[in-house]
Every structure is written in structure tokens, then in C-alpha cells.
Amino acid sequence: MSGPRPETYWDAVIIGAGHNALVTAAYLGAAGRRTLVLERRERVGGAADTVQLARGIRAPGLAHTVGRLRPSIQKDLGLARHGLSLVSPDVRVFAPSPGGGALTLWADAKKTAAGLGDGHGYLQFDKRVRQLGRFLDDLGRSTPPDIKAPGFGDAMAGLKLGRSFKGLGRDGSRTVLRVLPMAIADLVAESVEDDALRGALAWRGVRFGNVGPWSAGTAAMLLLDGAGNDGGAAGETVFARGGPGALAVALASAAQAVGVEIRTSAPVVHITSRDGRATGVVLEGGEEIQARAIVSGADPKRTLLDLVDPVELGPSLGWRAGNIRTPGVVAKVNIALKKLPVFKAAPGDESLLRGRIVVAPGIDAMERAFDATKYGRWSEQPILEATIPSLTDPSLVEGAKAGTHVMSVIAQYAPYDLADPGGAAGDTALRGPGGWDGRREDLGDTVVAALEAVAPGIAKLVSHRQVLTPVDLEQQYSLSGGHPLHAEQGLDQFFVWRPLLGHARYRIALERLYLCGSGAHPGGGITGGPGQNAAREILKDLSRRS
């Protein structure tokens, strides 16, 4: 664009201030691009949030760990200088069973193996996850190829991936092609015999997904969870001091330090366009803002169906967008405890409770829990991943009575649409969004009962409780279907298919419209990967148009 720019003209306007959107904003700002971030809520962070549970007690909003954030993002943006402080407990996973036993997975794989009856199998599985995870990390850092008109850049990226694939060796290259479509139940069974250990390992293959351990492609979901980090078989467990919201604050600070402007309580209601090209946004109050690039941190379904003009979108792409799979089955329960609970398998040993507490008794138990969602019910024996972040970060309860702790629980499975308990199986209730009106606390009771089975007496310690169903997650965090990852992470929505075939290069639907959230490649939770990748492509396009 030649000539002086109007003061209201921006190089990029970013819709939403989730962690990926803030990552994109910070990279654009560091490159000297005038960038504006518009957030619907009164604070930044999206699902990377810290909420007030009770007076003096704070809890994670949805995500409760941040260990998968790309190290390159932390370094490039200098997040430590902007107040981000991370805590990595030695214990990664404590997996108690209702029968009283437990497994402990440590950061040190050899230490873990020494405490297991199937230590050799565990080390074998850990090695495989790390080996294949390195290749998937390289894949995740690349931009999917242009399937319509591949160019020189696509060829170079292909060569780089080819070298990474070759680096797996003959055995590894065959293994990755064989493993990706597998069910995680089959993959863990190749290395491990103990069912309790299989359950603890397989959990990351189904976490946040509308899938069970016998669902095809769940092996890929576990490997993607381990890509680009030091998780291995146990997975990463890293907390941000101050809760996940502290990560968002650090990212916002890094972005503002390079000139990015962030406006909260500024909901975008429409993306303006002309002749197939995005031109700006309209805010709820009617204000219009123009920009050379419009970047959405919202999920792809919401971006395309709620914000883009349906005439510009067209019937075919509108139909395809409506079929992006976003079936939320995750509930979040935050609990304030009068004192630290005692787990049957860890009496008096609080060090074992500093990581993730996974209640997944075995493969069959996980599959039965998943079965309930097929009939519009939540599981009466849910699979849980809990943390007690106040053990490593007392600031979360510094305003409460001495001894108080906060517990963050991710519970599966609880479907977005509930069946009417008085009707036939599969009939959706008409009592409110998703049929959840009046039934949230019943789900909370179910989750506490599942905790009671491994930590007797915990129910009497609860002083405050917050229950968030998939419908609540949709309403509070603008997640279509209440899906924490913006879309299912299956192989049909991965790489060139994420979010849609032909729209996987962060450029979506309209010229100059981009996607930077978890609904873009490589997906995932708190990684920053989609935001970092999107920023690279946006900067390329802005440079070509300068």
C-alpha cells in the first residue's frame, strides 16, 4: 500500500486473546507490524485462564498445566523476563486405583521403570514415544503443502521432512506409518502387560477427545502430545506460578513490549470482506476496523460460520465448515479443599501428589466410560486427571485459611448434548442448551464420588466447587461444542486436513484471512505451535504485499 496510512489502519487485527493469538501477535509486533488484538472477555488468555473460585482461592480455568509450550516461543519472546515462572515437579503422574494400589511415573524414566513390575516394557514404550515424537514435532513445525499449486517452498519443506523421516531409520520409518492409525490400546499393549499401567499410559491418547482407547487414530493423539517436549511415556507436567493465566499475562506483556495493542471487552461480531478478500472487522458496538490481515484465534467453525459473510463463504465451504467435528466430552471441576486429602495409596506422602493425578483404572474401564457418551449420558465412572497446583504454588490460596488447597479436575466423559433421563436413549433433552440445566451439580457429585474411591473422606473436605460442562466451556471460552482443542485431533483433521483440506496453510476461506488457534495445524493444547506457525506465514504474505 503506497502513501500514508490512516491512523486507524493496522497491518493485522487478531480476533481473540487466547495463548496462540497472543503468540502470533508478539511475533508480528517483533517484526515491526502494527498489530491490534481484540478480546471478547475482560481479560486475556482464553482457556489458559486462572479464575476466582472463592475468596482468596484461585483455580485453573480449563487447562491446568503448560508443559507443552514450545521452548522456542519461551526463548524468542523472553517470557521469563515478562514474569513467567514455571515449576516442574519430579513426579509426572500418580495413578491410584480404587483397590488401593498406585503407579508413579517420574520425570526420570529409569526411576519409573525401577518401581514397576513391567519396567522393561515401560522403557521400551518411552523410547518409542520419544523417537516418533521427534518426527511429529518436525511435521508440526512445518506448514502443510499447497495441494492445489505446490511451489518451491513446499518442495524444500518436503525435503526437510524427508530427511527427518529418514532419520527415524528403517525400523522407525516403518513403525511411524504403522502406528499412527492404531488404537492406543493396541499400541501400549505391544510394550506393556499390566492393565493399570496400560490405562495410565493410554490416557493421553484420548484426553480431550470424543474417543475411547479402542478408537482408531488415538495412538497418533498420544504421540502428538509428546511431540516437541520432554514428556516421553509419562507426558509433561509443568505448572505456571499464578496458574495458566500467568502464561497469558506474560504473553500479553511480551506482545505489548513490541508495540502490540490489546483491547479487552471488545467482541468482534463480523469480518468484513469485499470480492473474496477480508478487509476488517466490526465490533459489537458497531465500530469498524480495517487491516491488511485479519487473523482469527477463534475455532474454525465459529470463525467461518459466525463471523464470515455466508455469501462470501459460499454454500460448499459453509457445509464443510459445519461438518468440522467439535464434539466436546470434557467437563472441568474446580474444588477448594479445607486441607490436603489423603490418598489410600499415598498416606502422608504429599510429594506424590505434586504432578498429575490420573484415575484411569485400565483400558476396559476407559472404554466403558466412553461408551456412556454414545447414548447421551455422562459416565458414572469417569476418567479423571486432577492436579493440586497449590502444592507447588501456594499463591493460589494465599488469601484463604491455612491448610487450604485447590484441586483442578478434568473429567471425561460428559457429552455436550445430554439425553432426557425420562426419554428413550439418545433423545436430546429440551430443557436448555445441551440439556444440562439443573444437572451440573449431579455431574460434580459423580466426579467427587470417583475421587472418594481413591481418596476416602475427600467429599467432607470440599468447601467450594465449580462445575463446567461442555456447554459452559462453549459459552465462557467460545469453544464450538465445548471442545478444548477447537476440533477433534483425529487423523481426518490433522496436517493437510486441519481444519479442512485446502485450508490448512493458516489462510482460510478468504484472501487475507488467517487462522492461528488450536483448530489450525498442528492443533494441540497449550503449545503455541499454531500461533507461531501462523505468524511465519502472515509475515511472508505481508512482506510480499509491502
Side-chain angles (χ1 to χ4, degrees):
M1 181 176 177
S2 60
R5 297 176 183 167
E7 201 58 36
T8 57
Y9 197 94
W10 299 88
D11 286 313
V13 166
I14 299 180
I15 302 168
H19 83 283
N20 274 306
L22 293 171
V23 167
T24 300
Y27 276 103
L28 295 182
R33 300 297 181 175
R34 296 190 68 229
T35 304
L36 172 66
V37 177
L38 300 169
E39 169 56 39
R40 173 183 71 89
R41 304 172 76 219
E42 73 282 356
R43 61 185 181 272
V44 300
D49 193 18
T50 304
V51 301
Q52 195 76 21
L53 180 58
R55 186 174 180 179
I57 304 173
R58 294 179 298 152
L62 175 54
H64 51 205
T65 60
V66 298
R68 296 179 59 216
L69 184 69
R70 283 183 178 175
S72 59
I73 293 174
Q74 299 178 48
K75 180 180 178 181
D76 292 348
L77 304 184
L79 296 184
R81 297 196 307 271
H82 292 281
L84 181 64
S85 176
L86 302 178
V87 184
S88 304
D90 288 337
V91 61
R92 294 276 179 84
V93 173
F94 174 67
S97 69
L103 300 168
T104 304
L105 310 183
W106 303 88
D108 184 338
K110 292 183 179 179
K111 181 178 180 179
T112 300
L116 298 175
D118 198 359
H120 176 73
Y122 178 84
L123 289 176
Q124 182 184 54
F125 186 73
D126 182 77
K127 180 180 179 181
R128 174 169 289 179
V129 170
R130 292 177 187 276
Q131 178 191 33
L132 301 183
R134 284 191 290 270
F135 169 71
L136 289 176
D137 181 43
D138 288 339
L139 189 70
R141 292 175 186 276
S142 66
T143 298
D146 186 341
I147 61 172
K148 294 181 180 178
F152 179 75
D154 295 316
M156 295 303 295
L159 287 173
K160 184 177 179 180
L161 286 176
R163 287 196 295 270
S164 178
F165 183 76
K166 186 177 180 180
L168 290 171
R170 180 178 296 179
D171 179 65
S173 59
R174 286 198 298 256
T175 299
V176 71
L177 295 175
R178 179 181 67 86
V179 160
L180 291 180
M182 286 177 64
I184 189 59
D186 285 325
L187 181 62
V188 296
E190 289 185 349
S191 301
V192 174
E193 294 184 2
D194 181 70
D195 188 47
L197 181 56
R198 287 179 180 181
L201 296 177
W203 159 242
R204 287 163 53 228
V206 304
R207 184 174 57 185
F208 300 133
N210 186 27
V211 288
W214 289 108
S215 300
T218 46
M221 292 171 64
L222 180 140
L223 295 174
L224 288 167
D225 187 77
N229 59 64
D230 188 39
E236 276 284 21
T237 303
V238 179
F239 301 97
R241 294 190 188 276
L247 169 62
V249 170
L251 286 169
S253 176
Q256 290 170 324
V258 291
V260 174
E261 183 175 326
I262 300 174
R263 291 172 57 182
T264 55
S265 300
V268 173
V269 296
H270 183 60
I271 294 172
T272 59
S273 56
R274 184 173 59 252
D275 300 327
R277 174 182 294 176
T279 58
V281 298
V282 180
L283 303 188
E284 191 172 64
E287 179 184 358
E288 295 189 28
I289 302 173
Q290 291 184 322
R292 301 173 66 204
I294 309 301
V295 188
S296 178
D299 69 74
K301 184 176 286 188
R302 186 171 298 271
T303 299
L304 296 176
L305 299 182
D306 292 354
L307 300 180
V308 174
D309 186 337
V311 175
E312 291 275 20
L313 189 65
S316 177
L317 189 53
W319 174 79
R320 293 176 65 198
N323 284 315
I324 295 172
R325 295 189 296 115
T326 59
V329 294
V330 175
K332 179 68 194 298
V333 181
N334 288 320
I335 301 172
L337 299 167
K338 298 173 187 176
K339 65 178 183 179
L340 191 66
V342 176
F343 284 75
K344 287 188 290 187
D349 190 353
E350 72 170 42
S351 66
L352 296 179
L353 309 180
R354 292 176 177 268
R356 291 178 288 119
I357 302 166
V358 175
V359 183
I363 296 296
D364 289 344
M366 294 172 70
E367 189 70 22
R368 284 193 296 270
F370 170 53
D371 283 342
T373 66
K374 302 172 187 176
Y375 307 103
R377 302 191 299 267
W378 71 72
S379 172
E380 292 296 329
Q381 298 293 328
I383 305 303
L384 308 179
E385 179 181 282
T387 62
I388 308 177
S390 49
L391 279 174
T392 54
D393 181 12
S395 71
L396 294 173
V397 293
E398 61 186 0
K401 292 181 180 180
T404 298
H405 283 280
V406 64
M407 177 178 273
S408 168
V409 187
I410 293 170
Q412 285 183 218
Y413 296 81
Y416 180 91
D417 287 312
L418 285 182
D420 185 341
D427 289 345
T428 300
L430 301 176
R431 304 192 301 174
W436 277 100
D437 283 0
R439 303 172 73 179
R440 288 171 177 79
E441 294 309 315
D442 292 338
L443 172 62
D445 292 342
T446 298
V447 170
V448 172
L451 290 169
E452 184 81 17
V454 294
I458 192 172
K460 296 180 180 179
L461 302 179
V462 177
S463 61
H464 297 86
R465 189 173 76 184
Q466 177 193 46
V467 180
L468 300 174
T469 70
V471 171
D472 299 316
L473 296 179
E474 178 181 63
Q475 294 174 348
Q476 293 192 25
Y477 298 112
S478 297
L479 299 169
S480 292
H483 202 296
L485 304 183
H486 287 197
E488 278 287 287
Q489 195 84 352
L491 288 178
D492 62 322
Q493 292 185 164
F494 171 65
F495 196 44
V496 295
W497 294 275
R498 191 169 187 89
L500 294 167
L501 187 65
H503 299 270
R505 294 170 54 80
Y506 311 100
R507 305 156 180 91
I508 187 165
L510 304 174
E511 187 180 347
R512 302 189 181 186
L513 176 61
Y514 302 85
L515 195 67
C516 70
S518 292
H521 173 72
I526 307 295
T527 70
Q532 186 183 47
N533 290 4
R536 182 181 64 228
E537 298 304 311
I538 295 165
L539 288 171
K540 286 180 183 178
D541 289 354
L542 288 174
S543 296
R544 282 196 289 263
R545 295 199 293 263
S546 297

